[in-house]
Structure formats: C-alpha cells, structure tokens
Amino acid sequence: MIRPEDRLIVALDVDKIEDAVGLVRTMAPLGITHFKVGLNLFTRAGPAAVEAVHQAGGRVFLDLKFHDIPNTVAGAVQAASRMGVWMTNVHIPGGSAMMRAALSGRGKDLLLIGVTVLTSMAEKDLTELGVRHPVEAQVLSLAKLAQAAGLSGVVASAREAVAIRRVCGEGFLIVTPGIRPKDKAVDDQQRTGTPGEAIRAGADYLVVGRPILEAPDPAAVARRIIEECAELKVKDAT
Ligand code: C5P
C-alpha cells in the first residue's frame, strides 16, 4: 500500500539547484519524499542536482527518458544506479533489446520504467509519425512490450491507466503525468486527468509539475492532491 504522500512525485522543473532544494524543503513538512529531476534541471546542473535532492532528504525519479542503442542506454542506466536514484526511465520505442540492456545496467534497487506515449501527444501527433493505431491501443501495446522485457512499470496518462491495469495486472507500476486540477487552463499537455481520476483509474504515482510550481502557494496545491489521494483510499476501504 503506497502512502498518499508518496503517491505524489513533484517535478522539479526549475533552472537552479537552489530552487529545486527550496521546493524539496517546502514539501518536506507535508511528508512528500518523491521528486523528479528531469531534462531541464539535469542538463543545466548535472548529477549535482540529484545529489542536492538526496542531501535534502528526497528520493529521485531521474526522468531522462533514455532512447539510444542498447550499449549506450545500459551505460546511462548504470550511471543513474550509481547516483542512487529511486527510479529512472527509457522510451519503450527504443525496443526490447534496448530495454533488456537497460535492465542489465541497473542496480537491484532501481525502479526502471518505460515511457509509452508522451502525455503531450494526441492522436494526430501519432498519425504524423506514421502510427496508425488510436492512442490507447498504442499505449497498451508498448506497455505489454515493456512488461515482457521485464521493466517495473510504465509512464502513461490517467486516461489509459484502467486499460493498462487490466492488461498488465497488479504490481506493474503506472506513473501518470499530465495531472491537472479541474480548473487548470490548457497548456502543452493533451491527455490530462485530475489526481482523483488518475488514482481511481489505477495509477500508482502522480507526476505534477506546473500546477504546483506555478501556484501562489505550492504547498497548498500539493496538500490538496495528497488529500484527494487519501480520500479515495478511505472510500475504497469502506
Ligand atoms: O508541468 P507538468 O505537470 O505538465 O509536468 C509534467 C512532468 O512530467 C514534466 O517534467 C514532463 O517532462 C514529465 N513527463 C510528461 N509526460 C511523460 C513523461 C514525463 O509530462 N510521458
């Protein structure tokens, strides 16, 4: 059973290590332990960003979405393992051989998950790439491929979580970005869901960036998300 506080992964999509650490410290009193270091912060600040989050008491989802030849990805995952991160990811369309190589490079405690279809993409974007399936079918076929390769779970939108849970079963992690409170204005995310919708659909973890980062009171938004997760847990138990 995942604690509601642990379900939230706060995306540290900021430019400076100090700002990332500031966010970790703001979230710590709420019991939040999971933080995502992604391409922006990592490209600017490197492994020092991961180290700083660790020092501030957080666990890191290193979201670099590796997608390269198997040997290169194995090396990158090994480097992530040595940094002591909690979770990292690869793009599933890199293929089975790449995913198996990625697994060969990881330490036993590292969760390795696969990105299905970016939550910023809609059907027309897939069509443009020559993918003829509807989004959900594409996500499901990638999730099955990731599971067959031995990955611990996938990144997908809340909209596909029910189908992934049905097909891949319990114990296969579903991490959902594109989380938006109901009243949030539209941005580059296309396949969105509220925190409650994501959890009800079977998501294990919610990745939330801008709704928290751009809020006048980031801790208040994070608290509401955790409360929404906790309420659902109570309802499910009754
Ligand atoms: O600001 P927002 O809540 O949209 O942030 C979502 C975060 O999740 C971003 O850091 C983005 O890079 C990441 N992400 C995503 N879609 C994926 C995988 C990761 O939005 N499929």
Side-chain angles (χ1 to χ4, degrees):
M1 208 39 162
I2 307 170
R3 290 187 320 145
E5 300 88 323
D6 287 336
R7 287 192 183 275
L8 175 60
I9 303 175
V10 178
L12 301 174
D13 291 334
V14 292
D15 295 348
K16 296 193 189 124
I17 291 182
E18 305 85 87
D19 295 338
V21 170
L23 272 163
V24 175
R25 298 221 167 104
T26 304
M27 299 296 147
L30 300 174
I32 294 167
T33 54
H34 291 150
F35 299 92
K36 189 174 83 70
V37 173
L39 285 170
N40 183 47
L41 182 60
F42 195 81
T43 306
R44 289 172 196 274
V50 172
E51 181 57 31
V53 176
H54 284 160
Q55 296 248 320
R59 298 171 93 191
V60 174
F61 169 18
L62 186 63
D63 177 26
L64 300 183
K65 303 186 182 71
F66 300 129
H67 189 169
D68 208 316
I69 61 169
N71 188 54
T72 302
V73 170
V77 171
Q78 189 180 64
S81 268
R82 288 190 180 154
M83 274 184 247
V85 302
W86 162 64
M87 178 185 275
T88 193
N89 56 3
V90 298
H91 267 295
I92 301 169
S96 298
M98 188 204 73
M99 289 188 275
R100 284 196 301 272
L103 285 166
S104 75
R106 89 180 162 153
K108 66 174 170 42
D109 294 330
L110 175 67
L111 292 172
L112 184 66
I113 60 173
V115 180
T116 55
V117 175
L118 293 172
T119 43
S120 55
M121 296 179 85
E123 192 134 341
K124 65 171 174 28
D125 303 299
L126 289 186
T127 309
E128 199 176 76
L129 294 174
V131 176
R132 304 279 170 234
H133 310 300
V135 175
E136 185 175 291
Q138 179 68 1
V139 168
L140 274 185
S141 104
L142 290 171
K144 282 192 263 183
L145 198 65
Q147 190 172 39
L151 264 51
S152 305
V154 287
V155 184
S157 89
R159 299 186 187 187
E160 296 99 34
V162 169
I164 296 171
R165 185 60 71 222
R166 192 179 59 237
V167 169
C168 297
E170 293 301 320
F172 191 63
L173 295 178
I174 304 176
V175 178
T176 53
I179 299 298
R180 294 291 177 265
K182 278 199 180 65
D183 51 357
K184 181 77 175 77
V186 173
D187 49 39
D188 62 344
Q189 297 285 22
Q190 302 285 330
R191 302 187 342 272
T192 59
T194 67
E197 283 164 352
I199 297 293
R200 251 192 305 271
D204 296 292
Y205 296 104
L206 315 176
V207 174
V208 187
R210 286 164 289 181
I212 291 177
L213 270 52
E214 293 174 358
D217 184 351
V221 177
R223 188 178 302 112
R224 272 201 300 279
I225 293 171
I226 294 170
E227 281 166 5
E228 205 169 321
C229 296
E231 277 164 25
L232 285 171
K233 211 178 98 187
V234 171
K235 272 189 210 139
D236 287 351
T238 52

